[in-house]
Amino acid sequence: MDPPIYAPTFLAGALGLWSRVAGFDPHDLARRVAELSLVRMPSLRATIHLTTVEDALALPPIVAPLHRRVFKGSEYGRDLAGLDLDEVVAAGVELLRDRPLTVTELGRELAGRYPDRKPTPLGAAVQYGAPLLQLPPRGVWGETGRARLAELGRTLGRPVGTDTSADWLVLRYLRAFGPASTADVRAFTGVGGIREVVERLDLRRFVDERGRTLYDVPDGPLPDPDTPAPPRFLGEFDNALLGHDARTRVLDTEHRSHVLLKPVRPLLVDGMAAGLWTSGPDGLVVRPLAPLADADAAEVVAEGERMLAALWPEAERTVRVEQP
């Protein structure tokens, strides 16, 4: 069994940025990851995220209770029942001050101190319990490397934050995904106490068709319902599908079992999950979840070709739509 923190691939992150940022350059992203001006670390939902340095330093006190709760409820947490987890984490951090280690290496080192425990849960306890980051070349475009862990503050040369308030995090979420319910915010962040946060913030309030209160930042744009939503190729576990508790706004119920929480790459058409796609030596293959109109299929091909030219300019590849 792998360590319980899921680490999405760099390609998935690059695809996510490509679908959102005009003029995105994966090589510029790779440079920022390599120089640690962007940081890969366990954070929201106890998964690996790519963050700015400022966010990386501010998130640990907010997500720490979540990480501990997730670890204790996992198989690894049960394997370490009866141990003082704070002691295990402190011992692991001390080891990391000597040199970066993978979770597996960290667990093997700690097993010398706790010989009656399995190594991997010991390493995972440190990954969950301390503010750590993954060092490059892990996550650098075109390179490979093991997920070596290091202390966050020590590596960045700046102190890790101590403020446990999630106000700024909720505001950032709403700027990206609002209007949204408190359940939506919890589903995306994994952080508790969201209702108390929204009650003290100056937010706009709406009511959806189910009577739920939706919140948004005061200046949040409300696009016209007829605003075009061009096709978008997304990576595995993209936040467009994980950003809400009520995911029917981007995923029809009948397609849920094909897409949600699975390591597949979704295609959005008109803002809704409309297919899955794969890549290979010959290009992209799109498999719609339901037949696409000719005009939509043509737009999908054009967007796929544009993405190939930007992310893999050296390769001559095609985009093929296989209608169901």
Side-chain angles (χ1 to χ4, degrees):
M1 179 178 178
D2 292 332
I5 289 183
Y6 170 72
T9 65
F10 180 82
L11 175 58
L15 291 168
L17 289 169
W18 159 255
S19 70
R20 294 166 170 85
V21 179
F24 169 72
D25 179 358
H27 300 288
D28 179 60
L29 175 62
R31 176 184 60 79
R32 294 172 185 268
V33 173
E35 69 185 17
L36 291 178
S37 61
L38 291 175
V39 175
R40 283 171 58 91
M41 60 177 283
S43 60
L44 304 177
R45 302 192 305 277
T47 64
I48 300 292
H49 280 68
L50 183 67
T51 75
T52 64
V53 168
E54 289 71 22
D55 286 355
L57 294 168
L59 280 167
I62 299 173
V63 299
L66 163 70
H67 287 193
R68 176 162 287 235
R69 184 172 69 250
V70 169
F71 181 78
K72 284 188 171 181
S74 71
E75 180 182 333
Y76 291 155
R78 292 188 289 274
D79 284 342
L80 300 188
L83 281 186
D84 184 334
L85 291 182
D86 290 335
E87 179 186 282
V88 174
V89 171
V93 169
E94 191 64 33
L95 289 169
L96 290 173
R97 287 177 182 157
D98 292 333
R99 67 188 191 283
L101 298 167
T102 66
V103 171
T104 300
E105 292 168 341
L106 192 55
R108 288 172 182 164
E109 294 275 353
L110 288 168
R113 181 176 298 198
Y114 304 98
D116 59 335
R117 304 289 178 158
K118 298 176 183 177
T120 302
L122 292 168
V126 183
Q127 187 180 27
Y128 270 87
L132 305 178
L133 55 76
Q134 288 186 355
L135 290 174
R138 183 73 167 191
V140 175
W141 183 260
E143 297 189 33
T144 59
R146 294 182 300 167
R148 296 180 303 136
L149 302 174
E151 282 187 90
L152 179 66
R154 190 181 184 92
T155 304
L156 298 179
R158 293 173 56 180
V160 176
T162 58
D163 187 358
T164 60
S165 170
D167 293 30
W168 69 271
L169 179 59
V170 171
L171 290 171
R172 291 278 291 280
Y173 168 88
L174 291 175
R175 286 203 176 278
F177 296 110
S181 69
T182 54
D184 291 332
V185 184
R186 279 194 300 273
F188 179 74
T189 64
V191 173
I194 299 301
R195 186 168 300 281
E196 292 79 3
V197 173
V198 298
E199 289 302 324
R200 65 174 173 258
L201 292 174
D202 178 22
L203 300 173
R204 296 166 75 187
R205 287 166 170 77
F206 304 89
V207 177
D208 70 4
E209 62 278 4
R210 293 165 52 188
R212 301 178 308 164
T213 301
L214 305 180
Y215 301 88
D216 203 359
V217 291
D219 57 346
L222 294 175
D224 187 280
D226 295 326
T227 301
R232 290 292 181 257
F233 288 84
L234 304 180
E236 298 91 340
F237 302 101
D238 191 275
N239 288 333
L241 297 175
L242 300 180
H244 301 282
D245 177 61
R247 290 161 179 155
T248 52
R249 68 185 69 190
V250 292
L251 178 62
D252 288 330
T253 302
E254 61 265 33
H255 302 322
R256 188 181 178 95
S257 62
H258 298 288
V259 179
L260 192 60
L261 299 179
K262 290 189 174 182
V264 296
R265 298 176 185 172
L267 166 72
L268 301 188
V269 175
D270 197 25
M272 298 293 292
L276 306 176
W277 66 279
T278 56
S279 59
D282 299 326
L284 307 182
V285 177
V286 177
R287 296 178 174 85
L289 297 169
L292 292 178
D294 290 344
D296 288 335
E299 288 189 5
V300 167
V301 170
E303 176 67 8
E305 291 174 344
R306 194 168 70 90
M307 181 179 69
L308 286 172
L311 300 186
W312 295 281
E314 303 84 6
E316 293 186 10
R317 303 179 182 181
T318 61
V319 181
R320 186 171 77 255
V321 178
E322 295 184 348
Q323 294 283 15

